[in-house]
Amino acid sequence: MIPADNTSRFPAPARTIESGPWRLQLRGDELADIEYRGHPVLRAIRPVVRDHDWRTLAPAVEAVTFDDGGTFTLRLTVRFAGFGAEYSADLTVSFSGNDLRVTFEGTAPSDFRSNRIGLVVLHRPDDAGRDVTVSAPGGTRTESAFPADISPHQPFVDIAAMAWDRDGTAFRLEFTGDVFETEDQRNWTDASFKTYSTPLSRPYPVTVHAGDRVQQSICLTAQPAAANPGPAEQGPAEQAADAVSAEPADNVLTVRRHIQSKVPALGTSASRSAARLGVVPGLDALIVELPSDVTRASELLQPAVRQAAELGAPLDVRIAAGGGADVGPVLDLLPLGKVARLGVFSSDRHVTEPELWEELRSEAQRRGFTGTRLAGARSHFTELNRRQDVLPRDAGALTYSITPQMHATEVPHIVDSVPMQRLTARNALRIGAGKPLHIGPVTLKARFNAVSTDGAYDARTAEAMTTDPLQAEDFAAAWLLGSIAALTLPGVESVSYFEASGPRGLIADDGTPTPAFRVFEKLAALRGAGVLQVDGDVPGLVLYPVSTDAGVLLFAANLTAAPLSVAVRLEDGGAQTFDIPAWQHTTRPLG
């Protein structure tokens, strides 16, 4: 589900659409942040078109019209294009009292192969644990709940309708045009559960012929209960929840002296760039991913050894093998005395299969390797979650990778992935039963298509698919800080970000440090330092106070499209005001 790149990484501000009790944000083709009577209901409803390799054709809204004649109606004309395919669709959104209906009518102008076409619903991540009634096409109803832990497989299938209660209102979704099912997108750090069609149990891809049409509709209905109780009518639990979520009266965020966790060790990945690097104090390791082809592995290993020496860090070697016989020849290439960690993964299933693990264990032991042997997934948390039953119990640590753009490229979705990263880490720690985590590579875009049905990309396509223009922007530094803060948990020993240099790197090809490198370098040097507790919260603001020998050093980032001004104080000191522009970060001594 790798998306085609957008021409603008920072789109125009969303347009607020209001009709009766409904309000939503129109972001391109996405109906986002749907509210009823001021309360959140759904994360989004949007159309998607996937090609045969699960790549998402990029949408372009060509026309938007409004009709307020009786029933308020919004109409969008959307063209999807990318990867040699194109598609056209009309999206109609109708508001009528307590009903909101979205209709999709799409046509293929030419033949292409596709895995999915139609509407998807993104349910809010805070629906986790909420009861839901699922109705099948035949009318059978099943009582269930949105999963609290990240579900490895589809929690709901064979869906014609869904019903649940939220904020004193009963909501119902009805689907027509296809059979739907739900997956837990938190597996990929998306901040949503997704209900989509067509069921994955049906064969795919299918050939879509020129002129073929798809028609679907989703109707969201609200049935209000009695008026929501005011504070005087609330019970103790509701009053306590309100008290916890309320902002401090003086609107000042407070940094406590209590240490919550420690700055994890930070690493990065080898690159093909020739940029000369310098030593990064505190750097954990340099990841190098090696294929089982010995010639290609040798070509990738040589610059990685050079970069590791320049950075003053050991190697973290990840082998992608087709079978057990591939492991030994790659190990023969390695300077094992310079390798801190060693892992092996299936080149097509992306996890540490038992046969590969046994080969790595015996061959590494025979060669006298004394570092840490890693197991897990070289792709997403998804594969770790789904194949946790095959993970070796004697692994020294677990690993998995993160990218925020598996399903969507829009900046708001990239930002929303940050708290979901923490959730994947908590679930990985649960799966590993206390084994330490070495998370990474963490990259803005996917390093490869883990769900490809058509093999690997050629070199030119891979370069375009894996590189994001945001890499060199201030946004990447702010997002990096948010990610580090989210993954600062007991048990997370290290997190590896981006590549050392090049278009996906911390350092540009010409040797210029990126804004992200400035944050990375400072925090790498603070490895193991205490991270202090923060009381209060401002949406979109990241606060990361680190206790150092010289005092408290506060790292802050603004992950919103508007400037933020916030007052922060130490519990035993005065307040300081921080003014942070949109998508920027700052570092300042506190107190």
Side-chain angles (χ1 to χ4, degrees):
M1 305 175 192
I2 309 298
D5 201 5
N6 292 341
T7 56
S8 173
R9 303 302 284 117
F10 292 100
R15 181 185 303 183
T16 300
I17 306 296
E18 295 187 76
S19 178
W22 298 102
R23 180 170 61 198
L24 58 84
Q25 303 297 313
L26 179 60
R27 296 177 181 151
D29 69 326
E30 182 181 35
L31 312 174
D33 299 332
I34 298 172
E35 297 179 358
Y36 177 79
R37 292 186 172 181
H39 294 286
V41 182
L42 294 175
R43 175 68 181 81
I45 299 175
R46 71 182 308 174
V48 298
V49 180
R50 319 277 196 207
D51 77 353
H52 64 285
D53 227 9
W54 289 113
R55 296 173 297 188
T56 304
L57 276 62
V61 178
E62 297 182 335
V64 180
T65 60
F66 298 89
D67 182 359
D68 203 4
T71 299
F72 180 76
T73 303
L74 168 68
R75 294 185 175 87
L76 306 178
T77 300
V78 188
R79 180 179 178 272
F80 303 84
F83 318 109
E86 57 182 343
Y87 198 81
S88 298
D90 292 321
L91 196 69
T92 303
V93 186
S94 301
F95 302 85
S96 178
N98 291 326
D99 292 346
L100 188 162
R101 181 178 294 275
V102 182
T103 301
F104 173 91
E105 296 186 7
T107 307
S110 57
D111 293 1
F112 75 104
R113 291 193 301 156
S114 173
N115 290 344
R116 179 172 301 153
I117 297 174
L119 294 169
V120 301
V121 173
L122 303 183
H123 306 267
R124 294 178 54 84
D126 58 4
D127 278 332
R130 191 180 303 280
D131 292 336
V132 60
T133 301
V134 177
S135 299
T140 303
R141 299 199 311 171
T142 302
E143 302 298 328
S144 189
F146 287 97
D149 286 336
I150 301 175
S151 176
H153 302 290
Q154 281 72 3
F156 318 129
V157 297
D158 201 25
I159 301 172
M162 306 174 74
W164 69 100
D165 292 342
R166 185 183 177 109
D167 296 316
T169 300
F171 293 99
R172 180 176 175 84
L173 277 171
E174 294 185 353
F175 305 89
T176 62
D178 204 343
V179 177
F180 286 69
E181 63 188 21
T182 302
E183 71 182 10
D184 194 338
Q185 286 205 135
R186 300 175 302 171
N187 275 295
W188 297 273
T189 70
D190 294 76
S192 59
F193 304 91
K194 180 176 70 179
T195 299
Y196 62 88
S197 66
T198 305
L200 292 176
S201 58
R202 297 183 184 176
Y204 62 86
V206 298
T207 299
V208 181
H209 297 287
D212 284 357
R213 298 183 63 82
V214 172
Q215 294 180 308
Q216 292 182 1
S217 69
I218 294 174
C219 184
L220 174 62
T221 300
Q223 184 176 354
N228 291 334
E233 301 169 288
Q234 291 179 340
E238 289 83 355
Q239 293 181 34
D242 286 347
V244 169
S245 62
E247 293 186 1
D250 56 4
N251 200 31
V252 174
L253 303 185
T254 301
V255 175
R256 303 293 181 189
R257 294 288 185 178
H258 173 68
I259 293 178
Q260 284 194 316
S261 191
K262 295 182 179 181
V263 178
L266 299 181
T268 187
S269 290
S271 69
R272 291 176 289 178
S273 171
R276 301 295 295 179
L277 308 173
V279 172
V280 177
L283 187 69
D284 174 61
L286 182 77
I287 292 178
V288 57
E289 299 177 280
L290 301 178
S292 56
D293 180 277
V294 174
T295 301
R296 180 61 179 148
S298 179
E299 293 173 352
L300 294 171
L301 181 61
Q302 292 176 20
V305 172
R306 172 184 61 81
Q307 289 182 334
E310 292 172 353
L311 291 165
L315 291 170
D316 180 335
V317 179
R318 315 286 178 91
I319 302 171
D326 296 333
V327 176
V330 177
L331 291 182
D332 287 335
L333 300 174
L334 302 180
L336 287 178
K338 300 178 180 179
V339 177
R341 293 188 291 271
L342 188 58
V344 65
F345 312 90
S346 168
S347 56
D348 56 355
R349 294 185 294 275
H350 312 306
V351 297
T352 304
E353 300 287 351
E355 174 202 3
L356 299 177
W357 181 255
E358 292 302 320
E359 194 70 16
L360 178 72
R361 180 170 56 183
S362 62
E363 291 296 317
Q365 183 176 9
R366 186 167 68 84
R367 289 165 173 78
F369 177 67
T370 58
T372 300
R373 285 180 285 116
L374 283 172
R378 73 183 186 115
S379 51
H380 312 276
F381 172 77
T382 316
E383 283 73 35
L384 179 77
N385 200 15
R386 291 177 175 175
R387 299 298 308 282
Q388 54 186 278
D389 59 312
V390 306
L391 298 177
R393 294 185 177 181
D394 61 338
L398 292 185
T399 187
Y400 65 96
S401 298
I402 290 175
T403 174
Q405 298 189 65
M406 180 62 180
H407 298 106
T409 64
E410 293 90 348
V411 167
H413 287 277
I414 298 174
V415 170
D416 286 347
S417 77
V418 169
M420 298 301 105
Q421 293 180 34
R422 171 168 287 224
L423 186 63
T424 63
R426 290 193 184 281
N427 276 257
L429 290 167
R430 171 183 54 81
I431 290 169
K435 290 185 187 298
L437 278 179
H438 294 279
I439 299 175
V442 179
T443 54
L444 283 177
K445 299 192 78 172
R447 308 181 327 280
F448 60 93
N449 187 351
V451 293
S452 173
T453 62
D454 199 27
Y457 302 126
D458 58 49
R460 182 176 179 180
T461 303
E463 185 78 12
M465 291 296 297
T466 58
T467 304
D468 194 319
L470 289 172
Q471 187 73 52
E473 301 294 329
D474 288 312
F475 171 85
W479 185 85
L480 170 70
L481 180 60
S483 176
I484 293 172
L487 296 174
T488 297
L489 288 170
V492 176
E493 288 201 0
S494 76
V495 190
S496 186
Y497 288 95
F498 310 144
E499 293 181 0
S501 57
R504 296 173 294 278
L506 294 162
I507 305 292
D509 264 327
D510 63 0
T512 303
T514 65
F517 176 75
R518 300 300 188 194
V519 176
F520 180 91
E521 182 182 37
K522 290 175 183 176
L523 284 171
L526 293 171
R527 174 178 181 172
V531 179
L532 303 180
Q533 176 182 328
V534 177
D535 289 352
D537 178 62
V538 173
L541 176 71
V542 178
L543 287 186
Y544 195 68
V546 181
S547 179
T548 73
D549 291 340
V552 176
L553 188 60
L554 181 65
F555 294 79
N558 177 3
L559 287 173
T560 76
L564 283 178
S565 182
V566 60
V568 183
R569 72 174 180 89
L570 278 170
E571 61 180 330
D572 50 2
Q576 297 184 42
T577 299
F578 289 74
D579 296 310
I580 313 174
W583 314 123
Q584 303 268 334
H585 75 281
T586 187
T587 305
R588 185 190 302 178
L590 186 63

